[in-house]
Amino acid sequence: MQRFEACLEKMPPKMRTIFEFSRTDHLSHQEISERLQISRDNVNRQIKNALIRLKKSLLLLFLIFFLP
C-alpha cells in the first residue's frame, strides 16, 4: 500500500487529481471532464497513463519480492 501511495505522490498533480476523482470519488470520465473543464479524451489519457505508471511500479515490486 505504501508503494501505491508513493507512486500516486510522484504523479503530476493533474494526473493524480483525475485518477483520484475516478477511483476514490467514483466520478465518471464525463463528470471529471466537466468538473475540471478539460476534454473527456484528456481524462481518458490521464487515467490510462496513471494506470500504466502504477502497474509498472507494482510489477517491479512483485518481481523483486516474489521471484527467486
Side-chain angles (χ1 to χ4, degrees):
M1 197 64 182
Q2 291 173 344
R3 181 75 170 198
F4 175 79
E5 290 174 6
C7 188
L8 280 180
E9 289 179 14
K10 290 180 185 176
M11 287 182 189
K14 185 176 182 180
M15 180 185 290
R16 183 177 53 244
T17 299
I18 292 170
F19 184 79
E20 288 175 344
F21 277 155
S22 173
R23 297 309 195 258
T24 305
D25 298 337
H26 307 289
L27 297 178
S28 70
H29 292 195
Q30 184 64 38
E31 291 169 323
I32 297 168
S33 71
E34 291 170 1
R35 184 174 286 191
L36 298 178
Q37 298 180 343
I38 58 176
S39 74
R40 189 171 174 185
D41 288 338
N42 192 350
V43 172
N44 290 336
R45 189 172 34 259
Q46 292 288 340
I47 292 173
K48 177 184 169 188
N49 289 338
L51 289 171
I52 289 171
R53 285 176 178 234
L54 286 169
K55 286 177 184 178
K56 285 181 180 180
S57 177
L58 296 176
L59 178 62
L60 180 61
L61 181 68
F62 175 80
L63 293 174
I64 290 171
F65 285 105
F66 295 108
L67 290 181

